[in-house]
Amino acid sequence: MNRAWLVLRRLLSGIGVLWGAATLTFLAINLSAGDPALAILGGPESSPSAELIAQVRAEYGLDQPLLVQYGQYLGRLAQADLGESYRLRVPVSQVIGGQLGATLQLSLAAAALALLLSVLVAVLTANRAPWVRALASGSELVLSSAPSFVIGLVLLLVFSFGWHVLPPSGSSGWRALILPSLALALPLAAVLTQVLRQELESTLEQPFIAMARARGLSETGVRLKHALRHALVPLVTLSGFVFASLLGGAVVVELLFARQGIGRLMLEAAINKDMPMLLGITLLAAAIYVVVNFLVDLINHWVDPRSNAV
Amino acid sequence: MSLTLQPEEPLIDVRDLHVHFANQPAATLKGISFELRRGECLALVGESGSGKSVTSCTLAGLTGAGAQVQASRLAFAGQDLRRFDERTWRSVRGAQIGFVMQDALGSLDPLRPVGKEIAEPLQLHTTLNRAERQARVLELLRAVGVPEPELRARQYPYQLSGGLRQRALIASAIACNPRLLIADEPTTALDATVQAQVMSLLESLRSERTAMLIVSHDLAVVSRLANRVAVMHNGVIVEQGSVEQVLHDPQHPYTQYLLQAGRAVHFQRKPATARPVLSAVAASSGVASPPLLQVRNLSKAFKGPDGQRRTVVNGVSLQLQRGKTLGIVGESGSGKTTLTRMILGLETPDSGDIQIKGQPWLQLSDAQRRELRRSIQVVFQDPLSSFDPRYTVQRVLFEALQVAGHLRGDWLPRARELLGLVRLDAALLGRRPIELSGGQRQRIAIARALAAGPQILVCDEPVSALDVSVQAQILELLDDLKQRLGLACLFISHDLGVINHVSDDVLVMKDGVAVEAGSVREVFDHPQHPYTQALLDAIPHLESGRRMAFEFLKLAI
């Protein structure tokens, strides 16, 4: 089939996802209790006059019917205008842009760490002695069921307050990145290792593995050159889950380690009912999701040439 | 590592070899002895579980950690294999011993280009650089008869046919010019014409310098390639000798039994006795009666991965009379499976017409179809995967009886009756499929098909996965059932011997088209279409030229 058409279809479906995300978030925020006008005026405690509230409502178009607000919102989105934050009174895109770098840094570091750890542990423990496997799967069970903030707290207690080797908070320098990315990566790595090891073990049963051994390939060679690639296929499929867990985990971890970033921004926006900000972050997440999925398909084709590209 | 060999010393010297796996109650190999010299080809023949694959794995040190290997002598090129550590083994495997493992279709890594697999032993055992390795890979592919080697080396296994995959696998095994080539079931799972090609390839690889060990369940394959045969049964070599001697003057009862079963299943051009009883039944039913199954001009196309529509079945017509057997023969990709699925109502044809008992199968409502479906039942190739592994035999049969409309109180006596019909003990009712042998499973599958009281039995490669002696038993059972129950049978197989054995009429399929049809005698004795002729020529014959000369000699004496 025509490659250009495939790319176009992919693009259209990406726009569809973004539109869906915008609509759902818009609905969710408007259906939840609370008055955005109050939020704009400084939250429920500020008790502004009724006139002031009416004025703000008119100014932000909040007195319009919901459908009209929705239409106006989509219209602005089409012009790449995410609107202005109710609380900070600056364009949302500017705020997000300022925080995006820190979160990307954290997520990418955590993703790389998780991948590295899981591949290493899975390759080393697959089909090994029972006690090795028991030890590995035991720790995986603990790590994958413990929430990120518990792991983060333990890491803080040990490395920052116990041994004083790593800073407990802050956003500057690679040393400040280690603990937060570990806290984010460990639960993820635990889940990925379980999947990887299971897949490795079933691949090691395959006839082509026996054949590779018959050619004189060593056990390590068999694992790295043949089995690992097969084990990576389901991992790539899991990347949607990986992405979600990184973003969700970032909120907690950024707070715990007092880091800047989108997670913290999202929490503040939610507490303050800062609608443009929330919508902006949701759209960003959706956009990342679309891009990640596209990349996943490309990677999938590279790992497994039998699957279709684009 | 240098392995030097005295001229008179055998390359492989095995004496009193025992192998015992930790998870098994009895030893798998119970004291086997054999020798293999350069220039020789030894065939290990036996049915599944006889220990022949374990023997070949022992020679490559691949029995795994759970195996206990004992022998009074176990030598390769004068070296004691029992003293090899893992590192030494690795330097021998792929370099001195080339191993073509069982499962031709699954032994290449599906995620790596074929050329990389062939280059693997070169990378491990030689000092050739990348460009030299690439050149050697192309040379090897050419040597094993792969056309367009440059293209093929870059392709993945899924892009190659079964025959090409087996050739590539052989190329990877001979890449380093090993002194010993072990081939475990090298032609199993391949189509007849491809089988013949792979056999000639192996034949051409025999040389004065190297020795070959062929493991096979198929005596016909062996008789062409080997000069010596060792017949294995339950972990023991029961008979060993030259091909002529073992095949034509077998001493051990098991060898005789194996040969007999093989003859029953294998193709013979002019069988002395036809299936007399069956043809009698068929004759009595009369020619004038309308066919049970009538298929007219059936076509089906599928959309390929490239988006092109590919016609898989193209205008096929056939009819099946009461009590008769129609064999459909063709190689993989000939469309016989799709044709069967359409007849079973599992696939909707693009055009054409199917009538079962005079009713238009395709136009019926779902309810009417269910009613009619009872009269057409199916037995698949792999019974294990067509059973729910959690179901006991009893539950499998009860389910079929329930669907067939029997009342609950009727199930148990009827299930016992069905087991009797397929000659199984009623004690098996409590077992699960995994606990049964291949032959028993296939009998259960037949019993399940019979539960609905069908008039047409569709058998899709029902014996392809079975040992030859079991094959003969199942074919005999089917013959018997057809006779007793007056069943009509649609028998699909790639094996001309089996088709010849069971069918009254035959339909030869190639690329979705029925190229030839008629009575078995007509088609097999006087094939008209070149493809049918090629298929018939490709069959490895147990009764080889050597055998004829031998017979002649015996007569002369």
Side-chain angles (χ1 to χ4, degrees):
Chain A
M1 214 182 274
N2 197 337
R3 204 177 170 84
W5 164 240
L6 281 174
V7 172
L8 185 71
R9 212 170 60 176
R10 206 55 214 232
L11 212 66
L12 286 175
S13 84
I15 291 173
V17 169
L18 289 178
W19 173 68
T23 307
L24 278 179
T25 325
F26 183 86
L27 279 176
I29 290 171
N30 278 287
L31 291 177
S32 65
D35 189 346
L38 275 176
I40 294 166
L41 290 167
E45 301 86 29
S46 54
S47 55
S49 66
E51 276 160 48
L52 199 55
I53 291 176
Q55 192 189 335
V56 166
R57 285 204 168 144
E59 192 183 323
Y60 283 86
L62 296 171
D63 53 350
Q64 308 275 349
L66 207 58
L67 210 59
V68 176
Q69 288 187 44
Y70 176 64
Q72 286 171 342
Y73 176 64
L74 286 187
R76 283 199 302 273
L77 273 189
Q79 299 159 42
D81 178 9
L82 291 175
E84 192 176 88
S85 162
Y86 287 165
R87 270 184 67 77
L88 305 170
R89 306 290 159 95
V90 279
V92 166
S93 47
Q94 196 181 320
V95 183
I96 291 180
Q99 302 290 314
L100 187 60
T103 300
L104 272 184
Q105 205 178 38
L106 176 65
S107 319
L108 288 179
L113 214 60
L115 193 68
L116 197 74
L117 269 174
S118 55
V119 167
L120 202 69
V121 176
V123 168
L124 287 177
T125 58
N127 271 355
R128 297 294 187 204
W131 69 269
V132 175
R133 298 202 47 207
L135 189 71
S137 51
S139 2
E140 281 150 26
L141 198 65
V142 170
L143 284 174
S144 60
S145 48
S148 275
F149 77 88
V150 173
I151 295 173
L153 276 177
V154 172
L155 288 172
L156 274 177
L157 285 175
V158 175
F159 293 100
S160 302
F161 307 129
W163 293 345
H164 300 286
V165 282
L166 289 167
S169 64
S171 310
S172 53
W174 63 271
R175 283 166 52 93
L177 191 62
I178 293 177
L179 287 186
S181 50
L182 258 183
L184 203 51
L186 282 177
L188 198 59
V191 176
L192 296 185
T193 311
Q194 284 172 330
V195 175
L196 259 180
R197 184 172 44 234
Q198 199 192 341
E199 207 57 29
L200 268 177
E201 285 176 352
S202 71
T203 308
L204 286 171
E205 301 285 311
Q206 297 294 312
F208 61 85
I209 294 290
M211 194 57 212
R213 289 203 178 105
R215 290 191 197 107
L217 201 62
S218 66
E219 189 54 37
T220 320
V222 163
R223 281 165 192 238
L224 293 181
K225 288 178 79 174
H226 289 272
L228 186 58
R229 192 167 185 151
H230 290 260
L232 285 177
V233 175
L235 215 60
V236 177
T237 317
L238 268 181
S239 45
F241 156 78
V242 171
F243 165 71
S245 97
L246 280 177
L247 206 73
V251 179
V252 177
V253 169
E254 279 171 1
L255 278 177
L256 186 65
F257 291 91
R259 283 179 62 87
Q260 294 184 327
I262 301 290
R264 198 187 179 84
L265 207 62
M266 183 151 65
L267 186 75
E268 280 167 5
I271 290 169
N272 296 317
K273 223 169 159 46
D274 191 345
M275 197 159 111
M277 188 63 93
L278 274 178
L279 282 168
I281 293 172
T282 310
L283 279 177
L284 173 75
I288 294 177
Y289 187 77
V290 168
V291 172
V292 164
N293 254 349
F294 182 72
L295 290 179
V296 161
D297 280 0
L298 287 182
I299 295 171
N300 225 343
H301 182 69
W302 172 73
V303 174
D304 186 352
R306 290 170 297 183
S307 67
N308 287 323
V310 189
Chain B
M1 175 174 140
S2 79
L3 299 174
T4 48
L5 193 63
Q6 303 302 315
E8 289 310 305
E9 203 176 6
L11 186 67
I12 295 278
D13 192 356
V14 178
R15 276 176 227 163
D16 201 25
L17 173 65
H18 290 257
V19 175
H20 194 160
F21 288 96
N23 55 0
Q24 246 143 56
T28 308
L29 292 183
K30 303 161 189 153
I32 66 164
S33 306
F34 63 90
E35 283 181 2
L36 181 57
R37 287 166 197 283
R38 286 185 296 176
E40 266 190 336
C41 176
L42 172 69
L44 288 178
V45 178
E47 301 194 272
S48 41
S50 61
K52 52 194 195 312
S53 288
V54 173
T55 309
S56 57
C57 281
T58 309
L59 292 178
L62 288 168
T63 41
Q68 215 184 357
V69 178
Q70 285 172 329
S72 63
R73 186 161 167 77
L74 184 61
F76 172 73
Q79 305 271 320
D80 189 349
L81 290 179
R82 289 168 298 177
R83 294 223 306 269
F84 277 21
D85 57 7
E86 189 53 31
R87 180 178 288 268
T88 321
W89 268 122
R90 285 210 300 268
S91 71
V92 172
R93 281 182 212 136
Q96 306 275 340
I97 299 176
F99 202 158
V100 180
M101 293 189 122
Q102 212 169 351
D103 193 355
L105 305 182
S107 290
L108 289 169
D109 190 335
L111 298 188
R112 297 179 93 204
V114 172
K116 262 198 166 170
E117 292 277 276
I118 302 173
E120 196 167 69
L122 297 170
Q123 200 177 356
L124 292 164
H125 304 294
T126 67
T127 53
L128 299 180
N129 65 32
R130 205 186 174 84
E132 289 166 333
R133 286 203 299 265
Q134 182 61 20
R136 173 83 178 129
V137 166
L138 297 182
E139 188 188 327
L140 281 162
L141 282 171
R142 243 174 253 125
V144 296
V146 171
E148 304 172 89
E150 286 86 358
L151 169 72
R152 297 305 185 187
R154 271 181 280 121
Q155 285 184 320
Y156 291 86
Y158 77 98
Q159 294 167 308
L160 303 184
S161 68
L164 285 181
R165 271 185 261 178
Q166 183 64 306
R167 281 164 196 271
L169 205 59
I170 293 173
S172 85
I174 60 169
C176 299
N177 293 318
R179 294 198 210 191
L180 171 65
L181 180 64
I182 304 175
D184 192 350
E185 301 280 7
T187 62
T188 315
L190 297 180
D191 283 328
T193 48
V194 182
Q195 249 180 31
Q197 292 161 8
V198 170
M199 290 311 296
S200 341
L201 167 62
L202 286 172
E203 220 167 3
S204 72
L205 292 175
R206 285 185 54 185
S207 76
E208 282 309 304
R209 284 189 323 100
T210 60
M212 208 183 273
L213 183 73
I214 304 289
V215 175
S216 178
H217 69 280
D218 191 335
L219 280 158
V221 166
V222 164
S223 66
R224 176 166 161 191
L225 200 60
N227 20 33
R228 284 196 304 119
V229 183
V231 180
M232 292 193 69
H233 183 51
N234 284 337
V236 181
I237 293 181
V238 295
E239 187 161 0
Q240 182 162 195
S242 74
V243 171
E244 277 79 9
Q245 189 241 306
V246 173
L247 287 190
H248 306 131
D249 188 18
Q251 300 300 315
H252 195 276
Y254 180 70
T255 317
Q256 291 164 359
Y257 168 70
L258 210 57
L259 280 167
Q260 217 173 3
R263 268 199 204 98
V265 175
H266 273 294
F267 185 81
Q268 284 147 330
R269 273 194 191 234
K270 299 238 193 283
T273 52
R275 293 137 283 99
V277 204
L278 189 69
S279 30
V281 170
S284 69
S285 67
V287 188
S289 66
L292 265 182
L293 169 71
Q294 173 104 44
V295 170
R296 282 195 214 96
N297 256 325
L298 218 52
S299 291
K300 176 84 185 173
F302 288 109
K303 209 169 176 180
D306 51 352
Q308 301 286 67
R309 284 183 78 79
R310 225 167 57 81
T311 306
V312 179
V313 173
N314 197 352
V316 174
S317 303
L318 59 88
Q319 59 177 32
L320 183 62
Q321 299 285 347
R322 179 175 295 275
K324 290 267 194 177
T325 296
L326 172 66
I328 299 179
V329 68
E331 309 203 315
S332 42
S334 62
K336 56 187 194 308
T337 301
T338 308
L339 176 66
T340 317
R341 288 179 60 83
M342 288 192 285
I343 291 171
L344 288 168
L346 301 173
E347 203 85 64
T348 314
D350 295 340
S351 65
D353 177 46
I354 303 174
Q355 292 204 338
I356 293 178
K357 297 207 284 185
Q359 297 191 59
W361 184 230
L362 300 170
Q363 281 85 45
L364 293 180
S365 71
D366 279 354
Q368 289 168 313
R369 214 186 245 230
R370 263 198 298 279
E371 185 63 34
L372 195 54
R373 199 182 282 280
R374 285 183 204 159
S375 47
I376 179 165
Q377 291 291 317
V378 63
V379 176
F380 288 111
Q381 172 176 1
D382 179 12
L384 188 57
S385 59
S386 69
F387 292 133
D388 187 324
R390 286 174 211 280
Y391 278 25
T392 58
V393 169
Q394 174 168 318
R395 203 165 159 198
V396 167
L397 294 179
F398 279 11
E399 187 185 50
L401 287 166
Q402 183 183 13
V403 172
H406 288 269
L407 295 173
R408 184 177 288 267
D410 214 18
W411 292 352
L412 191 60
R414 189 85 186 104
R416 287 175 192 277
E417 204 179 311
L418 285 169
L419 282 185
L421 215 50
V422 297
R423 298 180 207 155
L424 284 178
D425 197 283
L428 291 184
L429 280 173
R431 303 269 197 90
R432 277 167 227 283
I434 193 91
E435 303 167 82
L436 303 177
S437 73
Q440 285 174 328
R441 277 179 212 147
Q442 202 54 287
R443 283 166 196 267
I444 300 290
I446 294 171
R448 175 172 62 180
L450 294 178
Q455 284 159 293
I456 305 171
L457 193 61
V458 177
C459 301
D460 189 356
E461 303 268 8
V463 296
S464 305
L466 303 174
D467 276 330
V468 66
S469 65
V470 185
Q471 277 189 22
Q473 290 163 13
I474 296 286
L475 291 180
E476 200 230 326
L477 172 70
L478 282 172
D479 244 10
D480 177 54
L481 289 172
K482 285 186 301 190
Q483 219 187 100
R484 283 166 59 178
L485 308 174
L487 288 173
C489 196
L490 198 62
F491 200 101
I492 295 94
S493 180
H494 71 281
D495 189 330
L496 284 96
V498 170
I499 290 283
N500 180 54
H501 187 81
V502 300
S503 313
D504 302 289
D505 295 314
V506 65
L507 181 84
V508 183
M509 285 193 72
K510 183 184 195 304
D511 301 332
V513 182
V515 294
E516 194 160 357
S519 81
V520 168
R521 289 280 60 81
E522 224 172 89
V523 173
F524 282 6
D525 292 345
H526 309 287
Q528 299 301 311
H529 195 275
Y531 178 69
T532 316
Q533 290 164 2
L535 272 183
L536 285 165
D537 287 341
I539 302 169
H541 286 281
L542 201 58
E543 319 291 321
S544 63
R546 276 191 288 195
R547 158 74 167 156
M548 308 255 274
F550 189 75
E551 286 283 27
F552 202 71
L553 204 70
K554 259 200 331 200
L555 278 174
I557 294 166

